[in-house]
Amino acid sequence: MDVPLKVVPQLEAGGGIPSALSSSKKLETLSPDVIKHLKAIFSSIAGGDSGLDQKEADVFLRNMQGTDPSEGGPLWPDKEKLDFHDFLHYASLPDFRALGPPVSYDLSYPLSNYFISSSHNTYLTGHQLYGQSSTDGYKSIVDHPLTVRSDLPVIVSLELHVSLEQQEVMVDIMQETWGDLLVDRPKCNSESDNVKLPTPAELRRKILLKVKNVSEKKPAEGATDGTLAPAQQRVDSLSSSSSSDAEASTQNEGQAKKAPKIIQALSKLGVYTRSFHFSNLLQPEASIPTHVFSLSEKKFMDMHETHAPGLFHHNRSFLMRAYPMGLRVSSSNLDPSVFWRKGVQMVALNWQKWDEGMMLNEGMFAGEGGWVLKPPGYRSVDVPEGSTAADDTVGQAEAIAHKTLDLTVEVFAGQDIPLPPGDDSPKGFHPYVKIELHVEKPEERSGKPIEGGGKSKGGEYKRRTKTRKGIEPDFKGEALQFVGVPGVVEELSFVRLKIHDDEIGKDELAAWACIRLDRLRQGYRFVSLLDARGMETAGVVLVKITKSTVLPQKSGLKSS
């Protein structure tokens, strides 16, 4: 029996790197069951063993695979008749993977027009209250070569527990270490509050600091004398938790706290990402182009129920950050897709906890460099000129077309499926495939209470295969169908494929993949798998994907 190429796990998922990397590699070997199904597929499209001519091959690519043969590199050898070995070559290529390539985004929009991969309390390795602190979380984000090759900006959010004197030292260290990478003044050199947000293209290879804004005219209200208990600096990369933001939000929720005192030299470094205390969507600071409001998931859900259109209006033009509520002491995560669909740019997640929220984050940002352009209707250019959060009635439901989805995934076979953590016996492994759809709930559009709030609790639609055996299971082409799924926005919907071990009372997770619906390729495909810890593996599942979306019945037109 052929053994698939082994990949030594090196990268942990969450920010979109492992999914993109594993889908970009050529498969070196294929298992017997996978080859059996591929041979049957080739025979069905070639009309037996006679082979395909170039024209027939191009028709297959265009009609079945949804691929334009004229784009990209050659997928077939240049010869008159293509045989099964030529088809196997095509099947081994990255072009055969289910995850489509990242869209080439326009980087000329202001920062508020993008979703930004964000972490929360990255310095913790586990529990929020008694978990140990470590810098490893930052290293995995900043030091990986794929991240370094991306020249898109990085936002660093500061959580301050230091004296005024120590803050001066912080400023010196950041300026000396980051040098010209640190944005320390507006491009226009203006001190005005009306400085406009720049574009990612204008901030290539730059570091932005998100820090609480303090007025030069007077000390922060309720500030301490600067004498704080043991100094501790906490810096979260890619927009993590900020204690000043948390205090601001909890003040508004009736738990008033004294705001920390911050020196001007540090506060001024928050050039394009200035953190302000949130009271309401019409407060004066809400019109400052560079402001950032940070809301806990609970506060955000309250705003959704009382000011849904205003909340959506704000997030089309201004930056907002949502973070897990304080009761998530086990470092569990919220459902980020609910917040993305409200236009929140920075949905901060506990990267130290592997759960549904982190899988969705991996699906959103796979290979994107941490920045994804919002779909039309969610952007600042869509805001009526002169309108405010008080008079703009356009919300989620009206901003973008919601479609009805039909999706079928036929599951043929898997190879090199990773075992659940702690399991080392392939003979005792009984896998089944479960597919979940994460799509918009009607309550998200109406402003009504969302069941479970922002909690992460599995996809809205679920299907599973029968249970099979071993790490190279044959699922025999079993079809999992989702028919007439309403309210779908492909750029904000996700397909999550999971492989579980069928055991009484356990059903432990063995492997998974999460793909944004607009990047899910149709036709015969390999789905690249990550293990239960989010690490890259050599595992794949051979599937056939059939998907279509239609506009609402009043138009009756198929859109894709």
Side-chain angles (χ1 to χ4, degrees), residues 377-423:
Y378 275 68
R379 304 172 189 170
S380 56
V381 296
D382 303 310
V383 178
E385 187 174 355
S387 66
T388 69
D391 53 34
D392 189 358
T393 59
V394 175
Q396 251 174 280
E398 301 82 15
I400 193 170
H402 291 73
K403 303 172 185 177
T404 300
L405 169 71
D406 288 343
L407 175 69
T408 300
V409 180
E410 297 173 55
V411 186
F412 294 103
Q415 68 174 41
D416 204 28
I417 308 298
L419 296 173
D423 192 344

Side-chain angles (χ1 to χ4, degrees), residues 325-345:
M325 61 183 178
L327 294 178
R328 292 185 179 275
V329 293
S330 66
S331 295
S332 63
N333 278 304
L334 47 79
D335 180 347
S337 64
V338 173
F339 298 81
W340 289 326
R341 289 192 283 264
K342 289 290 180 187
V344 178
Q345 296 84 359

Side-chain angles (χ1 to χ4, degrees), residues 418-420 423 425 428-432 467-468 498-511:
L419 296 173
D423 192 344
S425 175
F429 183 45
H430 298 86
Y432 65 86
T467 301
R468 305 298 177 179
K498 300 188 294 179
I499 298 181
H500 289 270
D501 187 8
D502 195 349
E503 293 185 293
I504 297 177
K506 287 187 176 181
D507 282 18
E508 288 187 279
L509 178 67

